[in-house]
Short mmCIF file of all heavy atoms in Angstrom, two decimals:
data_model
loop_
_atom_site.label_atom_id
_atom_site.label_comp_id
_atom_site.label_asym_id
_atom_site.label_seq_id
_atom_site.Cartn_x
_atom_site.Cartn_y
_atom_site.Cartn_z
N ARG A 219 188.57 -1.89 51.37
CA ARG A 219 188.30 -3.29 51.07
C ARG A 219 188.72 -3.65 49.64
O ARG A 219 189.37 -4.65 49.44
CB ARG A 219 186.81 -3.55 51.29
CG ARG A 219 186.42 -4.97 50.95
CD ARG A 219 184.95 -5.22 51.19
NE ARG A 219 184.60 -6.56 50.82
CZ ARG A 219 184.08 -6.86 49.64
NH1 ARG A 219 183.83 -5.92 48.77
NH2 ARG A 219 183.79 -8.10 49.31
N GLU A 220 188.38 -2.77 48.70
CA GLU A 220 188.70 -3.09 47.31
C GLU A 220 190.23 -3.12 47.10
O GLU A 220 190.74 -3.96 46.36
CB GLU A 220 188.08 -2.06 46.38
CG GLU A 220 186.56 -2.15 46.31
CD GLU A 220 185.97 -1.05 45.48
OE1 GLU A 220 186.71 -0.23 44.91
OE2 GLU A 220 184.73 -1.01 45.40
N LEU A 221 190.97 -2.21 47.75
CA LEU A 221 192.42 -2.19 47.60
C LEU A 221 193.07 -3.45 48.20
O LEU A 221 194.03 -3.99 47.68
CB LEU A 221 193.01 -0.93 48.21
CG LEU A 221 192.61 0.34 47.47
CD1 LEU A 221 193.17 1.55 48.21
CD2 LEU A 221 193.16 0.33 46.05
N VAL A 222 192.51 -3.91 49.32
CA VAL A 222 193.04 -5.11 49.98
C VAL A 222 192.78 -6.31 49.04
O VAL A 222 193.65 -7.15 48.85
CB VAL A 222 192.42 -5.35 51.37
CG1 VAL A 222 192.76 -6.68 51.94
CG2 VAL A 222 192.83 -4.23 52.30
N LEU A 223 191.58 -6.43 48.49
CA LEU A 223 191.27 -7.50 47.55
C LEU A 223 192.16 -7.49 46.31
O LEU A 223 192.64 -8.51 45.81
CB LEU A 223 189.80 -7.49 47.21
CG LEU A 223 188.83 -7.81 48.33
CD1 LEU A 223 187.37 -7.63 47.88
CD2 LEU A 223 189.04 -9.22 48.84
N GLU A 224 192.40 -6.26 45.82
CA GLU A 224 193.27 -6.09 44.65
C GLU A 224 194.70 -6.57 44.98
O GLU A 224 195.30 -7.28 44.18
CB GLU A 224 193.30 -4.60 44.23
CG GLU A 224 194.25 -4.28 43.13
CD GLU A 224 194.31 -2.82 42.91
OE1 GLU A 224 193.31 -2.14 42.89
OE2 GLU A 224 195.48 -2.29 42.73
N ARG A 225 195.22 -6.18 46.09
CA ARG A 225 196.56 -6.58 46.52
C ARG A 225 196.65 -8.07 46.75
O ARG A 225 197.62 -8.72 46.35
CB ARG A 225 196.98 -5.81 47.74
CG ARG A 225 198.37 -6.02 48.17
CD ARG A 225 199.28 -5.60 47.08
NE ARG A 225 200.62 -5.49 47.61
CZ ARG A 225 201.67 -5.11 46.92
NH1 ARG A 225 201.50 -4.76 45.68
NH2 ARG A 225 202.83 -5.08 47.47
N ALA A 226 195.63 -8.64 47.34
CA ALA A 226 195.60 -10.13 47.58
C ALA A 226 195.60 -10.89 46.26
O ALA A 226 196.28 -11.89 46.12
CB ALA A 226 194.38 -10.49 48.43
N ALA A 227 194.85 -10.40 45.29
CA ALA A 227 194.84 -11.06 43.99
C ALA A 227 196.23 -10.97 43.31
O ALA A 227 196.68 -11.91 42.72
CB ALA A 227 193.77 -10.36 43.07
N ALA A 228 196.87 -9.82 43.46
CA ALA A 228 198.22 -9.70 42.88
C ALA A 228 199.18 -10.66 43.53
O ALA A 228 200.03 -11.23 42.88
CB ALA A 228 198.70 -8.24 43.04
N GLU A 229 199.11 -10.83 44.83
CA GLU A 229 199.97 -11.75 45.54
C GLU A 229 199.71 -13.18 45.16
O GLU A 229 200.62 -14.02 45.12
CB GLU A 229 199.80 -11.54 47.07
CG GLU A 229 200.36 -10.27 47.61
CD GLU A 229 201.80 -10.09 47.43
OE1 GLU A 229 202.58 -11.06 47.62
OE2 GLU A 229 202.25 -9.00 47.05
N ARG A 230 198.47 -13.52 44.83
CA ARG A 230 198.13 -14.87 44.35
C ARG A 230 198.53 -15.10 42.91
O ARG A 230 198.50 -16.20 42.42
CB ARG A 230 196.63 -15.14 44.47
CG ARG A 230 196.13 -15.30 45.91
CD ARG A 230 194.71 -15.81 45.93
NE ARG A 230 193.76 -14.98 45.15
CZ ARG A 230 193.10 -13.90 45.62
NH1 ARG A 230 193.25 -13.58 46.88
NH2 ARG A 230 192.29 -13.28 44.83
N GLY A 231 198.82 -14.02 42.21
CA GLY A 231 199.22 -14.10 40.79
C GLY A 231 198.02 -14.07 39.87
O GLY A 231 198.15 -14.45 38.69
N THR A 232 196.86 -13.64 40.32
CA THR A 232 195.69 -13.54 39.44
C THR A 232 195.47 -12.05 39.07
O THR A 232 195.94 -11.17 39.77
CB THR A 232 194.44 -14.05 40.15
OG1 THR A 232 194.22 -13.28 41.36
CG2 THR A 232 194.57 -15.51 40.53
N ARG A 233 194.81 -11.84 37.97
CA ARG A 233 194.53 -10.49 37.51
C ARG A 233 193.38 -9.92 38.30
O ARG A 233 192.39 -10.60 38.60
CB ARG A 233 194.18 -10.43 36.06
CG ARG A 233 195.37 -10.65 35.16
CD ARG A 233 195.01 -10.02 33.78
NE ARG A 233 196.13 -10.19 32.88
CZ ARG A 233 197.00 -9.24 32.66
NH1 ARG A 233 196.91 -8.10 33.27
NH2 ARG A 233 197.98 -9.44 31.81
N ALA A 234 193.47 -8.64 38.60
CA ALA A 234 192.39 -7.93 39.30
C ALA A 234 192.21 -6.56 38.66
O ALA A 234 193.19 -6.02 38.13
CB ALA A 234 192.70 -7.75 40.79
N GLN A 235 191.03 -6.08 38.65
CA GLN A 235 190.76 -4.70 38.18
C GLN A 235 191.43 -3.75 39.10
O GLN A 235 191.12 -3.72 40.27
CB GLN A 235 189.24 -4.44 38.10
CG GLN A 235 188.87 -3.07 37.57
CD GLN A 235 189.22 -2.92 36.06
OE1 GLN A 235 189.22 -3.91 35.33
NE2 GLN A 235 189.53 -1.73 35.69
N ARG A 236 192.39 -2.94 38.63
CA ARG A 236 193.12 -1.98 39.47
C ARG A 236 192.35 -0.73 39.59
O ARG A 236 191.95 -0.10 38.63
CB ARG A 236 194.50 -1.75 38.86
CG ARG A 236 195.22 -3.07 38.71
CD ARG A 236 196.64 -3.12 38.93
NE ARG A 236 197.14 -2.16 39.89
CZ ARG A 236 198.40 -1.90 40.04
NH1 ARG A 236 199.27 -2.51 39.28
NH2 ARG A 236 198.82 -1.07 40.92
N CYS A 237 192.12 -0.28 40.87
CA CYS A 237 191.42 0.95 41.17
C CYS A 237 192.33 2.17 40.98
O CYS A 237 193.55 2.04 41.23
CB CYS A 237 190.91 0.90 42.59
SG CYS A 237 189.77 -0.44 42.90
N PHE A 238 191.79 3.29 40.59
CA PHE A 238 192.54 4.50 40.50
C PHE A 238 191.60 5.69 40.45
O PHE A 238 190.41 5.57 40.13
CB PHE A 238 193.50 4.51 39.30
CG PHE A 238 192.80 4.53 37.96
CD1 PHE A 238 192.52 5.70 37.31
CD2 PHE A 238 192.40 3.32 37.35
CE1 PHE A 238 191.88 5.69 36.06
CE2 PHE A 238 191.78 3.30 36.13
CZ PHE A 238 191.50 4.50 35.49
N LEU A 239 192.16 6.88 40.72
CA LEU A 239 191.42 8.12 40.63
C LEU A 239 192.18 8.99 39.60
O LEU A 239 193.39 8.95 39.54
CB LEU A 239 191.38 8.84 41.97
CG LEU A 239 190.57 8.20 43.06
CD1 LEU A 239 190.75 8.97 44.38
CD2 LEU A 239 189.10 8.11 42.71
N GLY A 240 191.44 9.81 38.84
CA GLY A 240 192.11 10.70 37.90
C GLY A 240 192.27 10.07 36.54
O GLY A 240 191.81 8.95 36.24
N ALA A 241 193.00 10.81 35.72
CA ALA A 241 193.14 10.42 34.27
C ALA A 241 194.43 9.66 34.04
O ALA A 241 194.64 9.18 32.88
CB ALA A 241 193.11 11.65 33.41
N LEU A 242 195.36 9.51 35.03
CA LEU A 242 196.62 8.86 34.77
C LEU A 242 196.59 7.32 34.82
O LEU A 242 197.55 6.72 34.40
CB LEU A 242 197.66 9.40 35.76
CG LEU A 242 197.93 10.88 35.67
CD1 LEU A 242 198.93 11.29 36.73
CD2 LEU A 242 198.43 11.26 34.27
N GLY A 243 195.54 6.76 35.37
CA GLY A 243 195.48 5.33 35.46
C GLY A 243 196.17 4.80 36.69
O GLY A 243 196.78 5.55 37.43
N PRO A 244 196.14 3.51 36.94
CA PRO A 244 196.80 2.91 38.07
C PRO A 244 198.31 2.98 37.98
O PRO A 244 198.88 2.88 36.88
CB PRO A 244 196.30 1.47 38.13
CG PRO A 244 195.89 1.16 36.74
CD PRO A 244 195.48 2.48 36.11
N SER A 245 198.98 3.05 39.11
CA SER A 245 200.41 3.10 39.15
C SER A 245 200.92 1.71 39.40
O SER A 245 200.20 0.76 39.58
CB SER A 245 200.90 4.04 40.30
OG SER A 245 202.26 4.17 40.22
N HIS A 246 202.24 1.52 39.38
CA HIS A 246 202.85 0.22 39.58
C HIS A 246 203.01 -0.08 41.07
O HIS A 246 202.99 0.83 41.90
CB HIS A 246 204.22 0.15 38.87
CG HIS A 246 205.00 1.46 38.99
ND1 HIS A 246 205.01 2.38 38.02
CD2 HIS A 246 205.69 1.95 40.02
CE1 HIS A 246 205.76 3.41 38.42
NE2 HIS A 246 206.16 3.19 39.62
N ASP A 247 203.20 -1.34 41.42
CA ASP A 247 203.43 -1.73 42.80
C ASP A 247 204.86 -1.53 43.25
O ASP A 247 205.11 -1.13 44.37
CB ASP A 247 203.05 -3.22 43.05
CG ASP A 247 201.56 -3.41 42.90
OD1 ASP A 247 200.75 -2.48 43.22
OD2 ASP A 247 201.15 -4.54 42.49
N LEU A 248 205.80 -1.82 42.38
CA LEU A 248 207.24 -1.59 42.62
C LEU A 248 207.76 -0.60 41.61
O LEU A 248 207.45 -0.73 40.37
CB LEU A 248 208.03 -2.86 42.52
CG LEU A 248 207.83 -3.87 43.64
CD1 LEU A 248 208.60 -5.14 43.33
CD2 LEU A 248 208.20 -3.31 44.97
N CYS A 249 208.53 0.36 42.04
CA CYS A 249 209.08 1.38 41.11
C CYS A 249 210.06 0.67 40.14
O CYS A 249 210.94 -0.08 40.54
CB CYS A 249 209.81 2.44 41.88
SG CYS A 249 208.74 3.46 42.88
N PRO A 250 209.98 1.00 38.86
CA PRO A 250 210.99 0.50 37.90
C PRO A 250 212.29 1.26 38.13
O PRO A 250 212.31 2.28 38.79
CB PRO A 250 210.38 0.83 36.53
CG PRO A 250 209.37 1.86 36.79
CD PRO A 250 208.91 1.69 38.19
N ILE A 251 213.33 0.75 37.55
CA ILE A 251 214.66 1.39 37.69
C ILE A 251 214.59 2.88 37.24
O ILE A 251 214.05 3.14 36.16
CB ILE A 251 215.72 0.63 36.88
CG1 ILE A 251 215.85 -0.79 37.50
CG2 ILE A 251 217.04 1.38 36.84
CD1 ILE A 251 216.77 -1.68 36.69
N GLY A 252 215.11 3.73 38.07
CA GLY A 252 215.15 5.16 37.75
C GLY A 252 213.87 5.92 37.92
O GLY A 252 213.77 7.10 37.59
N CYS A 253 212.87 5.29 38.44
CA CYS A 253 211.53 5.94 38.59
C CYS A 253 211.58 7.05 39.62
O CYS A 253 211.01 8.16 39.41
CB CYS A 253 210.48 4.92 38.98
SG CYS A 253 208.87 5.63 39.34
N CYS A 254 212.17 6.83 40.73
CA CYS A 254 212.14 7.77 41.88
C CYS A 254 213.58 8.23 42.18
O CYS A 254 214.18 7.78 43.15
CB CYS A 254 211.51 7.16 43.10
SG CYS A 254 209.84 6.61 42.85
N PRO A 255 214.15 9.10 41.32
CA PRO A 255 215.56 9.50 41.53
C PRO A 255 215.70 10.31 42.86
O PRO A 255 214.78 11.16 43.19
CB PRO A 255 215.88 10.32 40.35
CG PRO A 255 214.54 10.82 39.84
CD PRO A 255 213.56 9.74 40.20
N ALA A 256 216.75 10.04 43.60
CA ALA A 256 217.05 10.80 44.80
C ALA A 256 217.95 11.92 44.49
O ALA A 256 218.65 11.96 43.49
CB ALA A 256 217.69 9.85 45.84
N ARG A 257 217.99 12.91 45.39
CA ARG A 257 218.91 14.04 45.18
C ARG A 257 220.33 13.62 45.31
O ARG A 257 221.21 14.09 44.60
CB ARG A 257 218.60 15.14 46.18
CG ARG A 257 217.23 15.77 45.92
CD ARG A 257 216.94 16.90 46.87
NE ARG A 257 215.61 17.34 46.67
CZ ARG A 257 214.98 18.21 47.42
NH1 ARG A 257 215.62 18.75 48.44
NH2 ARG A 257 213.78 18.57 47.18
N ALA A 258 220.64 12.74 46.28
CA ALA A 258 221.96 12.19 46.43
C ALA A 258 222.02 10.82 45.83
O ALA A 258 221.04 10.09 45.77
CB ALA A 258 222.31 12.11 47.92
N GLU A 259 223.16 10.41 45.33
CA GLU A 259 223.31 9.07 44.71
C GLU A 259 223.17 7.99 45.76
O GLU A 259 223.95 7.87 46.69
CB GLU A 259 224.70 8.96 44.07
CG GLU A 259 224.86 7.74 43.18
CD GLU A 259 223.99 7.78 41.94
OE1 GLU A 259 223.67 8.88 41.46
OE2 GLU A 259 223.56 6.70 41.50
N ARG A 260 222.13 7.19 45.69
CA ARG A 260 221.87 6.11 46.60
C ARG A 260 220.83 5.18 45.94
O ARG A 260 220.11 5.59 45.04
CB ARG A 260 221.39 6.58 47.94
CG ARG A 260 220.09 7.37 47.88
CD ARG A 260 219.70 7.86 49.27
NE ARG A 260 218.45 8.56 49.11
CZ ARG A 260 217.91 9.29 50.03
NH1 ARG A 260 218.56 9.47 51.20
NH2 ARG A 260 216.75 9.91 49.86
N PRO A 261 220.75 3.91 46.38
CA PRO A 261 219.76 2.99 45.81
C PRO A 261 218.35 3.41 46.14
O PRO A 261 218.06 4.08 47.12
CB PRO A 261 220.04 1.62 46.42
CG PRO A 261 220.94 1.92 47.59
CD PRO A 261 221.55 3.28 47.38
N ALA A 262 217.39 3.04 45.27
CA ALA A 262 215.99 3.38 45.49
C ALA A 262 215.46 2.64 46.70
O ALA A 262 215.99 1.65 47.13
CB ALA A 262 215.18 2.97 44.24
N ALA A 263 214.40 3.19 47.31
CA ALA A 263 213.79 2.57 48.50
C ALA A 263 213.13 1.24 48.13
O ALA A 263 213.08 0.33 48.96
CB ALA A 263 212.79 3.52 49.12
N ALA A 264 212.60 1.11 46.93
CA ALA A 264 211.97 -0.10 46.48
C ALA A 264 212.11 -0.23 44.98
O ALA A 264 212.18 0.77 44.31
CB ALA A 264 210.53 -0.15 46.88
N GLY A 265 212.11 -1.41 44.47
CA GLY A 265 212.18 -1.58 43.06
C GLY A 265 213.37 -2.40 42.59
O GLY A 265 214.13 -2.91 43.42
N ALA A 266 213.53 -2.56 41.34
CA ALA A 266 214.54 -3.45 40.79
C ALA A 266 215.97 -3.01 41.08
O ALA A 266 216.88 -3.85 41.10
CB ALA A 266 214.36 -3.60 39.27
N ASP A 267 216.20 -1.72 41.32
CA ASP A 267 217.55 -1.28 41.58
C ASP A 267 217.88 -1.17 43.06
O ASP A 267 218.94 -0.73 43.46
CB ASP A 267 217.86 0.05 40.90
CG ASP A 267 216.93 1.18 41.28
OD1 ASP A 267 215.88 0.88 41.89
OD2 ASP A 267 217.23 2.30 40.94
N SER A 268 216.94 -1.64 43.94
CA SER A 268 217.19 -1.60 45.38
C SER A 268 217.99 -2.89 45.74
O SER A 268 217.87 -3.90 45.10
CB SER A 268 215.92 -1.47 46.17
OG SER A 268 215.11 -2.59 45.97
N PRO A 269 218.73 -2.83 46.87
CA PRO A 269 219.57 -3.99 47.20
C PRO A 269 218.77 -5.26 47.50
O PRO A 269 219.25 -6.34 47.26
CB PRO A 269 220.27 -3.55 48.51
CG PRO A 269 220.14 -2.07 48.49
CD PRO A 269 218.96 -1.71 47.71
N SER A 270 217.53 -5.18 48.02
CA SER A 270 216.79 -6.37 48.36
C SER A 270 215.95 -6.92 47.23
O SER A 270 215.28 -7.89 47.42
CB SER A 270 215.90 -6.07 49.57
OG SER A 270 214.95 -5.07 49.22
N ALA A 271 215.94 -6.28 46.10
CA ALA A 271 215.08 -6.72 45.02
C ALA A 271 215.67 -7.85 44.21
O ALA A 271 216.81 -8.15 44.14
CB ALA A 271 214.73 -5.59 44.02
#
């Protein structure tokens, strides 16, 4: 429930307290450029360097 409410707030453009476990803090919703490098040269699945972004 909390994650759905957090995502809904992000879609509305309002700030929400981001939930997370551990010491690393919350992660991003879309990967920044170069975040998830693939073994073969290809565009990322999601993020600013993907074709649909």
Side-chain angles (χ1 to χ4, degrees):
R219 177 178 177 265
E220 290 175 4
L221 293 175
V222 171
L223 293 174
E224 174 187 316
R225 186 60 167 181
E229 291 297 319
R230 288 191 306 270
T232 60
R233 284 204 181 263
Q235 181 69 29
R236 304 217 29 193
C237 300
F238 66 93
L239 294 174
L242 298 178
S245 187
H246 40 262
D247 291 331
L248 290 176
C249 292
I251 295 173
C253 175
C254 301
R257 292 182 186 175
E259 191 66 32
R260 60 183 182 192
D267 57 347
S268 64
S270 62

